[in-house]
Amino acid sequence: MQQEPQQPQNPQKVQQKKPRIQTSASEKEVVFKPLTETGKKPEAASEKKVVSKGKGTGKKEVAPKKEVATTKKEKGNYPERYMALKSNIAYDAAGLPNLAFEMQFSKHISVELPVICSFWDLSQKHAVRAVAIQPEGRWWLKQAGAGHFFGVHAHVAWFNVKWQEDRYQNTDRPLLGAGVSYGYLLPLSKHWGAEFSLGAGYAHMKYNTYYNIDNGAQIGTETRNYWGITRVGLSLSYRF
């Protein structure tokens, strides 16, 4: 039986297929990498995907893309904890040696603990013997150890002061009080800075008054409630 000759197919209707690399994956799974505007293949970088064949499945497995590691500073966290040792030059000039240590507890919060002491007799009728501590919690607007801050402080002091004809000494309880303050830390270098602060608040004191002579008799006992400046700071700070 004679077979009818097959008519040639219209070349316009013949669907042209894209060349494909021989692989065990199906045609739908083959991904053609697009060319750049210059006609060149994009260069391999850290974003390049690693392709490997899965065992026994005949399919390609794409390795997960590795994220570029970012530092804590880029994410808004500050890995270095602010710690500083400082001395208030204003108190040093008044004959009250002092030393303070400050430590950061969160991004905006730090605590400072200054210790003030003096055991000097300036003259026969003038002497300042005192020990005081004035802890302060601080809220920094930007971050701890930089720029402006607001603080809340308390103060405790024991004193024995000679002045002119009288001597003043606290009773069995020390001076007590609290206040609020504002300050600014100006960086001078990587480790050094200048700190300015001013605080106001309340102090309650009860003290005995004596004649300012050796073994002077007691004149009386007084109680005083003080409202006014409780903190003046012009400090030189060293950051660790």
Coordinates of all heavy atoms in Angstrom, one line a residue, residues 99-137:
L99 N 36.5 62.1 93.7 CA 36.7 61.1 92.6 C 35.4 60.5 92.4 O 34.6 60.1 93.3 CB 37.7 60.1 93.0 CG 38.4 59.3 91.9 CD1 39.1 60.2 90.9 CD2 39.3 58.2 92.4
A100 N 35.0 60.3 91.1 CA 33.7 59.7 90.7 C 33.9 58.6 89.7 O 34.8 58.7 88.9 CB 32.8 60.8 90.2
F101 N 33.1 57.6 89.8 CA 33.1 56.5 88.8 C 31.7 56.4 88.2 O 30.7 56.4 88.9 CB 33.5 55.2 89.4 CG 33.4 54.0 88.4 CD1 34.4 53.9 87.5 CD2 32.4 53.1 88.5 CE1 34.4 52.9 86.6 CE2 32.4 52.0 87.6 CZ 33.4 51.9 86.6
E102 N 31.6 56.3 86.9 CA 30.3 56.2 86.2 C 30.3 55.0 85.3 O 31.3 54.7 84.6 CB 30.0 57.5 85.4 CG 28.6 57.5 84.7 CD 28.3 58.8 84.0 OE1 29.2 59.7 84.0 OE2 27.2 59.0 83.5
M103 N 29.1 54.3 85.3 CA 29.0 53.1 84.5 C 27.6 53.1 83.7 O 26.6 53.5 84.3 CB 29.1 51.8 85.3 CG 28.9 50.5 84.5 SD 29.0 49.0 85.6 CE 30.7 49.0 85.9
Q104 N 27.6 52.6 82.5 CA 26.4 52.5 81.7 C 25.7 51.2 82.0 O 26.3 50.2 82.1 CB 26.8 52.6 80.2 CG 25.6 52.4 79.3 CD 26.1 52.4 77.8 OE1 27.2 52.5 77.5 NE2 25.1 52.1 76.9
F105 N 24.3 51.3 82.1 CA 23.5 50.1 82.3 C 22.5 49.8 81.2 O 22.0 48.7 81.1 CB 22.7 50.3 83.6 CG 23.6 50.1 84.8 CD1 24.2 51.2 85.4 CD2 23.8 48.9 85.4 CE1 25.0 51.1 86.5 CE2 24.6 48.7 86.5 CZ 25.2 49.9 87.1
S106 N 22.3 50.8 80.3 CA 21.5 50.6 79.1 C 21.9 51.7 78.1 O 22.8 52.5 78.4 CB 20.0 50.6 79.4 OG 19.6 52.0 79.7
K107 N 21.3 51.7 76.9 CA 21.7 52.7 75.9 C 21.6 54.1 76.4 O 22.5 54.9 76.1 CB 20.8 52.5 74.7 CG 21.2 53.5 73.6 CD 20.3 53.3 72.4 CE 20.7 54.3 71.3 NZ 19.8 54.2 70.1
H108 N 20.6 54.4 77.2 CA 20.4 55.8 77.7 C 20.6 56.0 79.2 O 20.6 57.2 79.6 CB 18.9 56.3 77.4 CG 18.6 56.3 75.9 ND1 19.0 57.3 75.1 CD2 18.0 55.4 75.1 CE1 18.6 57.1 73.8 NE2 18.0 56.0 73.8
I109 N 20.9 55.0 79.9 CA 20.9 55.1 81.4 C 22.3 54.8 81.9 O 23.0 53.8 81.5 CB 19.9 54.2 82.1 CG1 18.5 54.6 81.7 CG2 20.1 54.2 83.6 CD1 17.4 53.7 82.2
S110 N 22.8 55.6 82.8 CA 24.1 55.4 83.5 C 23.9 55.8 85.0 O 23.0 56.6 85.3 CB 25.3 56.1 82.8 OG 25.1 57.5 83.0
V111 N 24.8 55.4 85.8 CA 24.8 55.7 87.2 C 26.2 56.2 87.6 O 27.2 55.5 87.3 CB 24.4 54.5 88.1 CG1 24.6 54.9 89.6 CG2 23.0 54.1 87.8
E112 N 26.3 57.3 88.3 CA 27.6 57.9 88.7 C 27.6 57.9 90.2 O 26.6 58.2 90.9 CB 27.7 59.4 88.2 CG 29.0 60.0 88.6 CD 29.1 61.5 88.4 OE1 28.2 62.1 89.0 OE2 30.0 62.0 87.7
L113 N 28.8 57.6 90.8 CA 29.0 57.6 92.2 C 30.2 58.4 92.6 O 31.3 57.9 92.5 CB 29.1 56.2 92.8 CG 29.3 56.1 94.3 CD1 28.1 56.6 95.0 CD2 29.6 54.6 94.7
P114 N 30.0 59.7 93.0 CA 31.1 60.5 93.4 C 31.3 60.5 94.9 O 30.4 60.4 95.7 CB 30.7 61.9 93.0 CG 29.2 61.9 92.9 CD 28.8 60.5 92.8
V115 N 32.6 60.5 95.3 CA 32.9 60.5 96.7 C 33.8 61.8 97.0 O 34.8 62.0 96.3 CB 33.7 59.3 97.2 CG1 34.1 59.4 98.6 CG2 32.9 58.0 96.9
I116 N 33.3 62.6 97.9 CA 34.0 63.9 98.2 C 34.5 63.8 99.7 O 33.8 63.4 100.6 CB 33.0 65.1 98.1 CG1 32.4 65.0 96.7 CG2 33.7 66.4 98.3 CD1 31.1 65.9 96.6
C117 N 35.7 64.2 99.9 CA 36.3 64.2 101.3 C 37.3 65.4 101.5 O 37.9 65.8 100.5 CB 36.9 62.9 101.6 SG 38.3 62.5 100.5
S118 N 37.4 65.8 102.7 CA 38.3 66.8 103.0 C 38.7 66.7 104.5 O 37.8 66.6 105.4 CB 37.8 68.2 102.7 OG 38.6 69.2 103.2
F119 N 40.0 66.7 104.8 CA 40.4 66.6 106.2 C 41.5 67.7 106.5 O 42.4 67.5 107.3 CB 41.0 65.2 106.5 CG 40.0 64.1 106.3 CD1 40.1 63.4 105.1 CD2 39.0 63.8 107.2 CE1 39.2 62.3 104.9 CE2 38.1 62.8 106.9 CZ 38.2 62.0 105.8
W120 N 41.3 68.8 105.9 CA 42.3 69.9 106.0 C 41.8 71.0 106.9 O 40.7 71.4 107.0 CB 42.5 70.5 104.6 CG 43.1 69.5 103.7 CD1 43.6 68.3 103.9 CD2 43.2 69.7 102.2 NE1 44.1 67.7 102.8 CE2 43.8 68.5 101.7 CE3 42.8 70.7 101.4 CZ2 44.1 68.3 100.4 CZ3 43.1 70.5 100.0 CH2 43.7 69.3 99.5
D121 N 42.8 71.5 107.7 CA 42.6 72.7 108.5 C 43.3 73.8 107.8 O 44.5 73.9 107.6 CB 43.2 72.6 109.9 CG 42.5 71.6 110.8 OD1 41.3 71.3 110.4 OD2 43.0 71.1 111.7
L122 N 42.4 74.8 107.3 CA 43.0 75.9 106.5 C 43.7 76.9 107.4 O 44.8 77.4 107.0 CB 41.9 76.6 105.7 CG 41.0 75.6 104.8 CD1 39.9 76.4 104.1 CD2 41.9 75.0 103.7
S123 N 43.2 77.1 108.5 CA 43.9 78.0 109.5 C 43.3 77.6 110.9 O 42.6 76.7 111.1 CB 43.6 79.4 109.1 OG 42.2 79.7 109.3
Q124 N 43.7 78.4 111.9 CA 43.3 78.2 113.2 C 41.8 78.3 113.4 O 41.1 77.6 114.1 CB 44.0 79.1 114.2 CG 43.6 78.9 115.7 CD 44.0 77.6 116.2 OE1 45.0 77.0 115.7 NE2 43.3 77.1 117.2
K125 N 41.2 79.2 112.6 CA 39.7 79.4 112.7 C 38.9 79.0 111.5 O 37.7 79.2 111.4 CB 39.5 80.9 112.9 CG 39.9 81.5 114.2 CD 39.5 82.9 114.4 CE 39.8 83.4 115.8 NZ 39.3 84.8 116.0
H126 N 39.6 78.4 110.5 CA 38.9 77.9 109.3 C 39.4 76.5 109.0 O 40.6 76.2 108.8 CB 39.2 78.8 108.1 CG 38.8 80.2 108.3 ND1 39.5 81.2 108.9 CD2 37.6 80.9 108.0 CE1 38.9 82.3 109.0 NE2 37.7 82.2 108.5
A127 N 38.4 75.6 108.9 CA 38.7 74.2 108.6 C 37.4 73.5 108.0 O 36.3 73.9 108.4 CB 39.2 73.4 109.8
V128 N 37.7 72.7 107.1 CA 36.6 71.9 106.5 C 36.9 70.4 106.5 O 37.8 70.0 105.8 CB 36.3 72.4 105.1 CG1 35.1 71.5 104.5 CG2 36.0 73.8 105.0
R129 N 36.3 69.7 107.4 CA 36.4 68.3 107.4 C 35.1 67.7 107.1 O 34.1 67.8 107.8 CB 36.9 67.8 108.8 CG 38.2 68.4 109.3 CD 38.6 68.0 110.7 NE 39.8 68.6 111.1 CZ 40.4 68.4 112.3 NH1 39.8 67.5 113.2 NH2 41.5 69.0 112.6
A130 N 35.0 67.0 106.0 CA 33.8 66.4 105.5 C 34.0 65.2 104.6 O 35.0 65.0 104.0 CB 33.0 67.5 104.7
V131 N 33.0 64.3 104.7 CA 32.9 63.2 103.8 C 31.5 63.1 103.2 O 30.5 63.2 104.0 CB 33.2 61.9 104.5 CG1 33.0 60.7 103.6 CG2 34.6 61.9 105.1
A132 N 31.4 63.1 101.9 CA 30.0 63.1 101.3 C 30.0 62.2 100.1 O 31.0 62.0 99.4 CB 29.7 64.5 100.9
I133 N 28.9 61.6 99.8 CA 28.6 60.8 98.6 C 27.3 61.4 98.0 O 26.4 61.8 98.6 CB 28.5 59.3 98.9 CG1 27.4 59.0 99.9 CG2 29.8 58.7 99.4 CD1 27.1 57.6 100.1
Q134 N 27.3 61.4 96.6 CA 26.2 62.0 95.9 C 25.9 61.1 94.7 O 26.2 61.5 93.5 CB 26.5 63.4 95.5 CG 25.3 64.2 95.1 CD 25.6 65.7 94.9 OE1 26.6 66.0 94.2 NE2 24.8 66.6 95.4
P135 N 25.3 59.9 94.8 CA 25.0 59.1 93.7 C 24.0 59.7 92.8 O 23.0 60.4 93.3 CB 24.5 57.8 94.3 CG 24.0 58.2 95.7 CD 24.9 59.3 96.1
E136 N 24.1 59.5 91.5 CA 23.2 60.1 90.5 C 22.9 59.1 89.4 O 23.8 58.5 88.8 CB 23.7 61.4 89.9 CG 22.8 62.1 88.9 CD 23.3 63.4 88.5 OE1 24.4 63.4 87.8 OE2 22.7 64.4 88.8
G137 N 21.6 59.0 89.1 CA 21.1 58.2 87.9 C 20.9 59.2 86.8 O 20.3 60.3 87.0

